[in-house]
Amino acid sequence: MSTDKTLDTTSGTRVRRTPAWLSATIAIVFGLFYAYSAWSGLGNLLGLNNAAQLLDTTLSGFGWGLLLTGVLAPVVLFGIAFWFGRRREAGPQALMLLAGLCLVSALSLDIFVFGLGSLIV
């Protein structure tokens, strides 16, 4: 029975892990892009709120929710992509972070398409 256990552990099911420095480098590089997107979302939130105040109106509840999503989505999606890619090789880890970044960019583009007119009361 002990022979079967050693065969199971050495039968090629060993998973190669990315070195910690490479994993951290990949996460930091992609993290900068996610941080830029979150910063851009915060700029949209503050800028559109000021623009609405200049028009003597306020943002609607939908507008606040949409703009807050633009700020929080990059942070949450980076956390999810990092969590799922943390124990994988460098290629799949980078692809997971890239897929999350593509999703964040698509959400940011959707927010941009809505524009100020549909976000105010």
Side-chain angles (χ1 to χ4, degrees):
M1 227 179 205
S2 63
T3 310
D4 293 334
K5 286 184 179 181
T6 57
L7 288 176
D8 287 340
T9 58
T10 60
S11 65
T13 58
R14 184 177 165 195
V15 177
R16 271 185 24 199
R17 286 188 51 190
T18 305
W21 66 269
L22 183 58
S23 179
T25 302
I26 292 169
I28 289 170
V29 168
F30 277 98
L32 290 172
F33 289 112
Y34 280 94
Y36 177 78
S37 184
W39 186 258
S40 174
L42 184 63
N44 286 336
L45 175 68
L46 297 175
L48 289 175
N49 188 26
N50 287 339
Q53 287 177 356
L54 289 174
L55 295 171
D56 290 330
T57 187
T58 61
L59 293 173
S60 65
F62 174 73
W64 276 105
L66 190 66
L67 292 173
L68 284 174
T69 300
V71 175
L72 297 176
V75 176
V76 171
L77 287 173
F78 175 75
I80 291 170
F82 180 76
W83 180 261
F84 283 126
R86 74 187 190 284
R87 297 192 188 265
R88 300 187 189 272
E89 293 181 16
Q93 180 186 14
L95 285 176
M96 285 192 174
L97 288 167
L98 182 64
L101 190 60
C102 289
L103 182 59
V104 166
S105 297
L107 290 173
S108 297
L109 183 61
D110 287 341
I111 292 170
F112 178 74
V113 167
F114 273 107
L116 180 61
S118 62
L119 301 180
I120 59 175
V121 175

